[in-house]
Amino acid sequence: MRSCDNHLLTAGCKLSPDFIHGRVKVKTSAEQQEEKRKERQAKLKIFRKVINAFFNKVSKEEYDDDGLEITKQILASNSDYSSMWNYRKKCFANSEKPKSEIEAMLNSELTFIESCLRNNPKSYGCWHQRCFVLLKLKTPDWKRELQLCNLFLQFDDRNFHCWDYRRFVCSHSNHPLKDEIDYTNKLIESNFSNYSSWHYRSKLLPEVYPDSSVGNKIAERKLLEELELVQNAFFTDPNDQSAWFYHKWLLGRGHPMQSILSLHVSRFPSTLTCTLRKPIKEEDCQQALVRVNGTVISGKWKPHSSACHMNTWTFTPHEKIGTGLISVSCQVDGVETQITMEIDDNEALCCAKNTIETFCESSSDAKLLVLEEELNSCRELNELEPDNKWVVLTLVFLMKAIDPIRFSSEMKELLKSLCIIDSKRSCYYQDLHSKYAVENWIICADLQNRKADLRNKGITRLCHVEFLVGLTHLDLSHNKLKALGSTFLVFPWLQELKADYNEITEIDGLKALPSLITLSLNSNALSSVELLSCLSTCPNLQHVSLKSNPVSSCEKDYFKNFHFRLTL
């Protein structure tokens, strides 16, 4: 026997069965699993005991120190147990202790929450509880809370729970928002990829440097500085999306102002139809005023469909609109427009004149110069980083901001290339092209003419229909439409619709169009007679053409019940 073994024996020590002949015994996986099982069982037994005690407290509505201690045991290991955080809120809210003791308990709660956050920094319950405690405290230390945010954002600068909490702290303290902008500067300079910092910055700038003319935008001087900052970021790392998203926000036009896009007045039947740029609720519309020759008339407003928010509303007066030369005005949601009906007119339509500024923010010469320089820089970057989707997409956004009409052809080609470069999002790029194509047409069109020729535009969906409500003739032939959906329900006066040479498989949106007379859907993909059933709800429909559709091969007996003439 070796001397070390003799020493252990003489000392009255016994060798552990896990330590034989000076070597650690390697446990089998079965033994390890059995030990873990026993450990889990022991923990589960304790957990159930504490949970039962907790629910017993809740059932008896006992909100006391024992309950705080019970919940503390569980939350220390699982801080996502929201029921226990809510119980603790009630304990503090219902406590009858002296204010000084409650204040001490709340400060102790802050310490406990902080320890929980160190284990789980993304716990909703912890951050919400911290907000509750601070609002209960008489004199919360907001400065320390900002320091706590700094600490947690050092560990994870994308912890959105902490960012939300930081906004909460700033909103309840006198902390200067400009200091917060400086804080985002610091984080962005250390890491251009810090998306959360860019996002926070986009929330701060409109408050610190507001643009008095446009809501949710920043003053031009600051905007130009931001454009330079973000340009440095995406030239540093062209593949990082954070700066590109922020740049897109900078180019955005904020919230468009409310306006009346069109006003239609009819004598027989007596109605007034108003189409707004931004949808409104029914209670807002009921406050609208309609005047005939300066006198307010009463009546009822009705939305064009059953949606809660609508752009188009129809007013039916209690008394018929008079004959002769009359002036009709409508004031709704803070905007007003006026229309004159001649003696022999049964109806009249007034449409707002649209310009590039309708869809793009107006720019000063200084801003246009900066945007042009950015455009040239992005062209250079596109040569250095070919097939980088962020560069190509930003080229499109810059062209749109500078002059969408001048750059329309180039924007179309760039979006077409994006469908190849980023094929998984090809539908998005096609829809974006459709949006721009319709916008450009609206800018150049005379909507008083009530006819729209949108052939060969590469359109995959019809956008901005609120501008097109007054149309009587619409031609969408030779595009890429796959369905005529609910978008088309907004056309109360549409008499002729052409959508030949598309890829249309559904036409549910043509249901109950009151004025539709002629419909042409030649060379599409309509395959079932049942798809045409919605057309039976169009009371004035006379002729439908379905040449070169799969449905045209069906037996002609299937089409006998339709009230309109069908060409197959």
Side-chain angles (χ1 to χ4, degrees):
M1 186 178 289
R2 292 176 299 177
S3 59
C4 63
D5 295 337
N6 285 329
H7 175 73
L8 288 169
L9 289 173
T10 55
C13 297
K14 294 183 180 179
L15 287 174
S16 167
D18 294 334
F19 191 87
I20 303 296
H21 304 301
R23 295 183 182 178
V24 177
K25 179 183 177 182
V26 179
K27 296 180 182 179
T28 65
S29 58
E31 289 175 322
Q32 290 175 335
Q33 289 177 3
E34 180 61 20
E35 282 191 6
K36 287 181 180 179
R37 187 188 69 79
K38 289 179 179 179
E39 186 179 343
R40 284 196 300 270
Q41 288 294 326
K43 287 182 178 179
L44 181 60
K45 187 176 180 180
I46 297 171
F47 177 79
R48 284 175 175 169
K49 183 178 179 180
V50 177
I51 286 292
N52 290 335
F54 164 68
F55 283 116
N56 187 45
K57 286 283 185 184
V58 172
S59 63
K60 293 180 179 180
E61 297 186 359
E62 295 177 356
Y63 304 105
D64 51 26
D65 291 346
D66 289 341
L68 287 173
E69 187 59 34
I70 289 170
T71 53
K72 189 173 184 179
Q73 292 178 46
I74 296 295
L75 291 170
S77 58
N78 180 11
S79 56
D80 286 324
Y81 216 128
S82 57
S83 297
M84 293 195 176
W85 287 118
N86 291 335
Y87 174 84
R88 294 178 74 83
K89 288 184 178 74
K90 289 185 177 181
C91 287
F92 295 123
N94 297 331
S95 178
E96 297 179 356
K97 293 181 179 181
K99 290 183 179 180
S100 58
E101 287 189 31
I102 295 175
E103 194 84 1
M105 289 169 63
L106 290 170
N107 282 309
S108 177
E109 183 75 353
L110 288 178
T111 304
F112 171 61
I113 296 170
E114 189 171 334
S115 67
C116 292
L117 284 171
R118 292 180 187 277
N119 294 327
N120 185 3
K122 294 187 177 181
S123 168
Y124 284 97
C126 287
W127 292 109
H128 290 166
Q129 183 76 358
R130 199 164 187 90
C131 294
F132 167 81
V133 172
L134 285 164
L135 292 178
K136 295 288 285 184
L137 281 170
K138 188 177 181 180
T139 54
D141 188 350
W142 297 112
K143 186 175 180 181
R144 188 185 182 283
E145 296 307 305
L146 279 175
Q147 292 172 350
L148 184 72
C149 290
N150 294 344
L151 178 65
F152 278 100
L153 290 174
Q154 281 179 10
F155 297 141
D156 180 4
D157 56 15
R158 294 194 177 191
N159 184 341
F160 70 88
H161 304 269
C162 188
W163 282 107
D164 284 342
Y165 181 70
R166 189 180 188 95
R167 281 188 281 272
F168 164 81
V169 171
C170 290
S171 66
H172 288 85
S173 64
N174 294 321
H175 185 67
L177 293 183
K178 194 173 183 308
D179 288 355
E180 287 297 280
I181 294 177
D182 294 339
Y183 177 71
T184 62
N185 279 340
K186 179 182 174 182
L187 293 184
I188 289 169
E189 286 171 3
S190 63
N191 179 14
F192 277 134
S193 185
N194 193 328
Y195 182 84
S196 298
S197 295
W198 290 111
H199 176 261
Y200 189 31
R201 195 175 183 85
S202 71
K203 297 296 182 183
L204 292 168
L205 288 172
E207 294 188 43
V208 181
Y209 303 98
D211 185 337
S212 57
S213 60
V214 183
N216 198 37
K217 290 294 291 181
I218 61 176
E220 184 172 292
R221 179 183 61 81
K222 188 61 180 175
L223 173 64
L224 300 183
E225 293 177 8
E226 293 298 300
L227 286 171
E228 183 178 353
L229 170 68
V230 76
Q231 183 174 337
N232 292 335
F234 55 64
F235 264 87
T236 303
D237 185 1
N239 292 308
D240 182 72
Q241 62 183 356
S242 303
W244 296 110
F245 274 120
Y246 184 70
H247 185 266
K248 182 183 177 183
W249 174 78
L250 289 173
L251 293 180
R253 63 185 308 270
H255 302 304
M257 301 293 288
Q258 182 66 287
S259 62
I260 296 177
L261 299 179
S262 65
L263 186 65
H264 178 275
V265 181
S266 170
R267 295 186 202 264
F268 310 104
S270 289
T271 58
L272 179 146
T273 302
C274 179
T275 302
L276 297 160
R277 177 71 186 271
K278 296 164 67 175
I280 61 172
K281 297 180 181 179
E282 184 173 358
E283 52 263 35
D284 296 325
C285 193
Q286 299 303 337
Q287 304 299 317
L289 296 176
V290 177
R291 294 182 177 87
V292 176
N293 293 331
T295 302
V296 175
I297 61 173
S298 60
K300 186 171 179 59
W301 286 97
K302 208 169 106 181
H304 193 71
S305 77
S306 59
C308 295
H309 290 67
M310 280 296 297
N311 296 79
T312 302
W313 294 81
T314 298
F315 176 80
T316 304
H318 292 149
E319 296 182 6
K320 292 183 179 180
I321 295 176
T323 58
L325 179 67
I326 60 172
S327 173
V328 181
S329 67
C330 179
Q331 181 181 343
V332 56
D333 203 29
V335 290
E336 185 175 8
T337 195
Q338 183 174 317
I339 188 171
T340 300
M341 295 188 73
E342 300 295 336
I343 296 175
D344 298 326
D345 290 342
N346 179 51
E347 64 172 353
L349 175 70
C350 173
C351 295
K353 179 64 179 173
N354 298 298
T355 64
I356 289 178
E357 282 74 27
T358 304
F359 302 106
C360 302
E361 184 182 342
S362 59
S363 300
S364 66
D365 292 342
K367 181 180 174 182
L368 280 174
L369 181 61
V370 171
L371 293 178
E372 292 276 7
E373 290 174 354
E374 280 212 354
L375 181 63
N376 293 330
S377 298
C378 279
R379 289 188 194 277
E380 294 175 10
L381 186 57
N382 192 34
E383 293 176 4
L384 297 171
E385 296 279 341
D387 296 340
N388 183 310
K389 70 173 184 178
W390 299 110
V391 180
V392 179
L393 187 58
T394 300
L395 280 171
V396 173
F397 292 149
L398 283 167
M399 292 175 183
K400 171 81 162 55
I402 296 170
D403 190 336
I405 303 297
R406 171 159 59 107
F407 291 110
S408 59
S409 297
E410 192 172 353
M411 288 166 65
K412 180 180 179 180
E413 292 304 314
L414 288 171
L415 288 169
K416 192 182 293 185
S417 68
L418 279 168
C419 291
I420 300 171
I421 295 169
D422 189 17
S423 58
K424 290 182 178 180
R425 296 167 186 81
S426 59
C427 291
Y428 165 71
Y429 300 124
Q430 290 171 2
D431 285 351
L432 195 60
H433 163 71
S434 302
K435 178 173 177 283
Y436 293 162
V438 173
E439 286 178 359
N440 289 349
W441 184 87
I442 291 172
I443 290 169
C444 301
D446 178 12
L447 293 174
Q448 292 285 150
N449 189 34
R450 306 187 76 173
K451 296 181 179 180
D453 185 353
L454 290 168
R455 291 175 295 172
N456 293 299
K457 301 290 186 183
I459 294 173
T460 54
R461 67 184 182 100
L462 189 60
C463 311
H464 297 302
V465 289
E466 64 273 14
F467 288 85
L468 311 175
V469 169
L471 294 179
T472 57
H473 297 73
L474 175 60
D475 194 342
L476 294 166
S477 301
H478 297 276
N479 283 296
K480 299 177 181 179
L481 295 169
K482 296 184 183 296
L484 302 182
S486 58
T487 299
F488 288 81
L489 294 173
V490 304
F491 295 113
W493 302 289
L494 188 64
Q495 299 173 12
E496 181 181 23
L497 173 61
K498 292 182 180 179
D500 303 331
Y501 297 95
N502 279 278
E503 303 163 19
I504 297 169
T505 59
E506 297 178 9
I507 56 172
D508 288 346
L510 303 184
K511 190 184 301 180
L513 285 180
S515 305
L516 189 63
I517 298 172
T518 304
L519 174 64
S520 181
L521 296 171
N522 299 323
S523 299
N524 278 288
L526 295 168
S527 59
S528 171
V529 178
E530 286 73 20
L531 293 171
L532 307 179
S533 61
C534 65
L535 299 179
S536 62
T537 61
C538 299
N540 293 305
L541 187 59
Q542 297 178 10
H543 180 223
V544 177
S545 182
L546 296 174
K547 295 177 183 178
S548 302
N549 275 276
V551 72
S552 61
S553 62
C554 296
E555 292 292 334
K556 293 192 176 180
D557 291 341
Y558 286 108
F559 307 105
K560 286 182 179 179
N561 295 327
F562 291 121
H563 68 278
F564 46 81
R565 182 166 56 88
L566 194 62
T567 302
L568 298 172

